C-alpha cells in the first residue's frame, strides 16, 4: 500500500532480514587508531602491489574514504551511498534484500539489460515482462496492470528495473516518467544509470531525495574505464543502504579497487575529456553510418554505443569479425530484431569499423592486386617479458591504433602507420618496470613478423625515401629482399628520447628487419633527437609504402624470380 507509513525497508524488505544479525568482521568491531594489528588473523608481512601497500590487511568493509569522496562529488550524504563489486552485485543484493525467493515478482521492460532477469531467475522469482513502447519508453499503464496482476496472484512485484540510458537501445527515460512510476508502484524502482555519463543529463539522482523507493545505480565500468576493477555505486536512502550493508559479503570491494576508485575521482578531468571524445565520436559514426544505404536505421543514443538496424545482421557481424572487429549481435533479443550493437571506440578504431562496414555494403574491389581486399596479418607474441599483439593491413588507410605503454614509441608507430598507408594496430604489455628494452624490441619483432607474413612472395615494388623534418633529414631505403639487414647511420645526442632510450631506435629497426626479413638502410642527421627519430620513422613509413606497392605483374620484383 502506498499510504503505508512504515519505512521502505519495513514495508518491502524480505521479512527475515530486518532482524538479521549481520556478520561482524574484525574491521567492523574496531576501527580506531592502532599500531599493532593482531585482530584479524592477517599476515603481518605486507605485499605491495604496483605501489599500493597494505594488501595483507582486509579492506574497509564500508569503504568510508571512497564514500566520503563520492559524497562530495555527487553532493549526497555518505549514508545514501552503497558500493558494490560492480553494479551487477548491487542488482543481486537488491533482489536478495527485497524479494522472497519462490514467491515475489520482478518487473522488467524488454528489450533491456539481461542481468535483471537472470538474477531474478537465480532467486526463483516470477519475472513479469512489460515491453517498452515503440519509442523504447516505459508503458506506465501496462506496468500498473502487471503490478496489480502480481498482487492478485499472491506474488507481489517488489522491484521494477528501469535502465536509462537503456542497454541496448541507448535512450533515456525522462525523470518525470521515473517519478510517476515511483509514485504509484508499491515496490522498489531500480534506475540503472550505467551509461548516464554519456547522456549529458544528471539522471535520476535527485529523485532519490523525494521517493524512498528509488535506488539509482551507477558504475565505474563505463565512462571511468574501470570495468576490470569492478566498482558499482548505489544511491538511495539510509534504510536501503543499511539493509544492503547487512546482507553483503563483509569485504565486497577490495583494496585495489577502492584505491583505483579514489584515483579515478581525483582525475575526473581526464575522464570528462574522454567522455567528450566518445560523445563526439558517437555522433560522428552515427552520422557516417546513417549515410550507408544498407543500414536502415541508426537509433539515437545517449550512451557509448549505437544500435543499428540492418537487413542481415549476422552477415555483417561475421564480415566485421573476419577483420577482427567484434561488435554485439542483438538480433535475437526480442524487440531488437535485425539489430547490432556497436560500442564507440577510439577515433582510429571507429575509422576501421566504418571502413569495414562501408566495404561490406559496397566492396571497393582490390585496388592493389597484390593484396586481396582486407588482407590483414595478425601476430601475437608472448614471452615471459612481454605480450604483444599486432594487426597489420598493408596499404589500408594509414590508421594507427597503438598502445605499447611507451609513449614515444606509440607516437613513432602512429607516424609509421600514417606514412606507410598501412593500418597498424598494436597492443603491448611488458616489463616496463625494468626498462623499455624488451618491449620496444618485441614490438619490432612482432610488427616485423606481421609485415613479413604480409609481403611473403608478393609481387611488390621494393625501395626508398628521403624526408626532412625541420632541421633533420632522414633517408630510408627498404628492400623486401628476404635478407634481414640493417644499416643504421644515425647519431642521437641524448640517451633518452621521451620515455624511450635513444639506442632503442636502432634496435627497433634491427628487430623489425630481422623478423620481416627485409633490408633497411637508414641515414639521418639533425639537431634535435625527437625530430631525427620522427624523420626516420616517417621516412621508413614512406619507404615501406613504396615497397608495398604492387609491381604490376604477377612476378616478384627480382631478376632471380624469388625473394
Ligand atoms: N547495467 C547495465 C545497463 C550494463 O550494461 C552493465 C554492464 N554491461 C551493468 C549494469 C553492469 O555493470 P558493472 O560492470 O558495474 O557490473
Amino acid at each position: 500500500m502506498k499510504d503505508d507509513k512504515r519505512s521502505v525497508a519495513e514495508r518491502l524488505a524480505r521479512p527475515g532480514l530486518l532482524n538479521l544479525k549481520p556478520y561482524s568482521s574484525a574491521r567492523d568491531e574496531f576501527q580506531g587508531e592502532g599500531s599493532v594489528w593482531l585482530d584479524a588473523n592477517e599476515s603481518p608481512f605486507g605485499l605491495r602491489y604496483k605501489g599500493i601497500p597494505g594488501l595483507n590487511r582486509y579492506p574497509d568493509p564500508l569503504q568510508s574514504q571512497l564514500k566520503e569522496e563520492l559524497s562530495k562529488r555527487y553532493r549526497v550524504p555518505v549514508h545514501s551511498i552503497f558500493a558494490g563489486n560492480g553494479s551487477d552485485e548491487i542488482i543481486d543484493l537488491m533482489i536478495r534484500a527485497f524479494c522472497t525467493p519462490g514467491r515475489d515478482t520482478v518487473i522488467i521492460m524488454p528489450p533491456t539489460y539481461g542481468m535483471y532477469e537472470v538474477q531474478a531467475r537465480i532467486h526463483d522469482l516470477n519475472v513479469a515482462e512489460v515491453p517498452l513502447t515503440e519509442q523504447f519508453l516505459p508503458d506506465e499503464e501496462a506496468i500498473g496492470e502487471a503490478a496489480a496482476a502480481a498482487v492478485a496472484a499472491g506474488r507481489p512485484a517488489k522491484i521494477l528495473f528501469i535502465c536509462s540510458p537503456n542497454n541496448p537501445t541507448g535512450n533515456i527515460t525522462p525523470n518525470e516518467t521515473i517519478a510517476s512510476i515511483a509514485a504509484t508502484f508499491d515496490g522498489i524502482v531500480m534506475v540503472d544509470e550505467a551509461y548516464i555519463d554519456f547522456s549529458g543529463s544528471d539522471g535520476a539522482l535527485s529523485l532519490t531525495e523525494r521517493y524512498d523507493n528509488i535506488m539509482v545505480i551507477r558504475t565505474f565500468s563505463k565512462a571511468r574505464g574501470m570495468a576490470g576493477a569492478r566498482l558499482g555505486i548505489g544511491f538511495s536512502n539510509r534504510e536501503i543502504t543499511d539493509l544492503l550493508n547487512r546482507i553483503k559479503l563483509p569485504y565486497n570491494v577490495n583494496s585495489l579497487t577502492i584505491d583505483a576508485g579514489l584515483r579515478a575521482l581525483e582525475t575526473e578531468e581526464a575522464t570528462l575529456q574522454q567522455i567528450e571524445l566518445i560523445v563526439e565520436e558517437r555522433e560522428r559514426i552515427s552520422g557516417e553510418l546513417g549515410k550507408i544505404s544498407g543500414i536502415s536505421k541508426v537509433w539515437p543514443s545517449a550512451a557509448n554505443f549505437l544500435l543499428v538496424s540492418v537487413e542481415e545482421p549476422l552477415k555483417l557481424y561475421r564480415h566485421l569479425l573476419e577483420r577482427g572487429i567484434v561488435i554485439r549481435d542483438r538480433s535475437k533479443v526480442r524487440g531488437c530484431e535485425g539489430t547490432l550493437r556497436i560500442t564507440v571506440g577510439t577515433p582510429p578504431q571507429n575509422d576501421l569499423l566504418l571502413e569495414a562496414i562501408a566495404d561490406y555494403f559496397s566492396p571497393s574491389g582490390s585496388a592493389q592486386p597484390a593484396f586481396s581486399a582486407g588482407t590483414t596479418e595478425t601476430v601475437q607474441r608472448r614471452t615471459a617479458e612481454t605480450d604483444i599483439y599486432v594487426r597489420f593491413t598493408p596499404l589500408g588507410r594509414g590508421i594507427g591504433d597503438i598502445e605499447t605503454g611507451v609513449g614515444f614509441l606509440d607516437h613513432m608507430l602512429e607516424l609509421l602507420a600514417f606514412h606507410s598507408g598501412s593500418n597498424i594496430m598494436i597492443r603491448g604489455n611488458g616489463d616496463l618496470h625494468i626498462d623499455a628494452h624488451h618491449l620496444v624490441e618485441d614490438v619490432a619483432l612482432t610488427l616485423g613478423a606481421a609485415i613479413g607474413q604480409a609481403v611473403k612472395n608478393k609481387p611488390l615494388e621494393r625501395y626508398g625515401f628521403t624526408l626532412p623534418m625541420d632541421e633533420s633529414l632522414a633517408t630510408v631505403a627498404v628492400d623486401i629482399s628476404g635478407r634481414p639487414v640493417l644499416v643504421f647511420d644515425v647519431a642521437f645526442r641524448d640517451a633518452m628520447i621521451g620515455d624511450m632510450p635513444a639506442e632503442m631506435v636502432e634496435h627497433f629497426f634491427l628487430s623489425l628487419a630481422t623478423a620481416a626479413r627485409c633490408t633497411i638502410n637508414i641515414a639521418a642527421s639533425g639537431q634535435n633527437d625527437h625530430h631525427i627519430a620522427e624523420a626516420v620513422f616517417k621516412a621508413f613509413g614512406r619507404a615501406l609504402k613504396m615497397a608495398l606497392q604492387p609491381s604490376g605483374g604477377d612476378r616478384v620484383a627480382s631478376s632471380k624470380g624469388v625473394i
Side-chain angles (χ1 to χ4, degrees), residues 85-89 91 113 116 163 165-167 192 194-195 217-222 227 230-232 341:
N85 180 354
S87 46
D88 280 343
E89 186 195 18
I91 295 168
Y113 181 44
Y116 314 141
C163 189
N166 187 39
N167 177 4
D192 183 346
Y195 302 96
I217 52 175
R218 294 195 176 174
T219 180
F220 277 51
S221 295
K222 309 294 176 183
R230 317 301 304 127
L231 181 58
R341 195 191 68 192

Side-chain angles (χ1 to χ4, degrees), residues 15-23 243 246-248:
L17 297 184
L18 292 176
N19 301 321
L20 175 80
K21 192 167 177 296
Y23 173 76
L243 193 59
R246 276 165 181 273
I247 66 169
K248 77 181 183 70

Side-chain angles (χ1 to χ4, degrees), residues 164-165 170 172 195-203 275 279 282 301-303:
S164 177
I172 285 256
Y195 302 96
I196 198 74
D197 303 291
F198 304 102
S199 71
S201 140
D202 289 339
I275 292 172
V279 170
R282 178 186 75 206
S301 170

Side-chain angles (χ1 to χ4, degrees), residues 226-457:
M226 277 177 45
R230 317 301 304 127
L231 181 58
I233 310 294
F235 299 92
S236 191
N237 51 63
R238 192 194 295 271
E239 274 77 39
I240 291 183
T241 56
D242 274 356
L243 193 59
L244 295 189
N245 284 331
R246 276 165 181 273
I247 66 169
K248 77 181 183 70
L249 291 177
Y251 307 110
N252 61 326
V253 183
N254 70 72
S255 310
L256 297 174
T257 298
I258 294 175
D259 192 75
L262 285 167
R263 280 196 214 179
L265 289 169
E266 276 167 22
T267 53
E268 185 105 320
E269 233 354 88
T271 304
L272 293 177
Q273 280 174 16
Q274 287 168 359
I275 292 172
E276 213 173 287
L277 178 65
I278 295 286
V279 170
E280 265 173 43
E281 283 293 290
R282 178 186 75 206
E283 297 310 309
R284 178 175 77 91
I285 55 177
S286 158
E288 292 295 321
L289 291 171
K291 291 183 207 154
I292 297 175
S293 59
I295 292 183
S296 51
K297 177 152 183 140
V298 184
W299 293 85
S301 170
N304 66 338
F305 55 80
L306 289 165
L307 192 70
V308 297
S309 299
V310 286
E311 188 89 337
E312 292 182 287
L314 261 184
K315 266 187 158 176
L316 174 56
Y317 175 82
R318 291 204 189 102
H319 167 87
L320 294 176
L321 211 51
E322 275 166 21
R323 282 155 177 74
I325 301 172
V326 191
I327 60 170
R328 192 92 190 257
D329 171 27
R330 298 281 76 188
S331 60
K332 286 174 214 69
V333 175
R334 191 149 61 88
C336 288
E337 292 79 4
T339 63
L340 297 169
R341 195 191 68 192
I342 302 172
T343 306
V344 179
T346 61
Q349 290 172 343
N350 300 333
D351 284 345
L352 289 171
L353 170 90
L354 290 169
E355 184 181 44
I357 295 182
D359 184 51
Y360 170 78
F361 285 110
S362 46
S364 53
S366 176
Q368 288 80 27
F371 298 108
S372 55
T375 293
T376 292
E377 298 295 342
T378 58
V379 181
Q380 177 114 34
R381 188 175 188 281
R382 282 203 182 108
T383 68
E385 292 161 349
T386 66
D387 181 355
I388 314 289
Y389 172 82
V390 169
R391 282 176 65 78
F392 177 71
T393 308
L395 303 182
R397 290 193 25 211
I399 299 167
D401 179 12
I402 318 279
E403 284 174 23
T404 68
V406 181
F408 186 74
L409 183 64
D410 290 358
H411 180 40
M412 292 299 109
L413 293 175
E414 270 155 22
L415 294 173
L416 170 56
F418 181 84
H419 286 276
S420 68
S422 299
N423 299 347
I424 303 177
M425 175 184 176
I426 302 183
R427 292 289 178 270
N429 262 311
D431 50 3
L432 287 175
H433 56 285
I434 299 174
D435 66 12
H437 187 104
H438 297 143
L439 196 120
V440 177
E441 174 179 300
D442 291 352
V443 165
L445 287 172
T446 317
L447 177 59
I451 295 174
Q453 271 171 219
V455 301
K456 200 163 178 204
N457 292 329

Side-chain angles (χ1 to χ4, degrees), residues 12 20 45 53 56 129 210 348 391 399-400 416 484 503 560:
L12 297 170
L20 175 80
F45 307 111
N56 55 326
E129 291 192 2
R210 274 199 281 143
R391 282 176 65 78
I399 299 167
L416 170 56
E503 63 175 12
K560 294 190 212 119

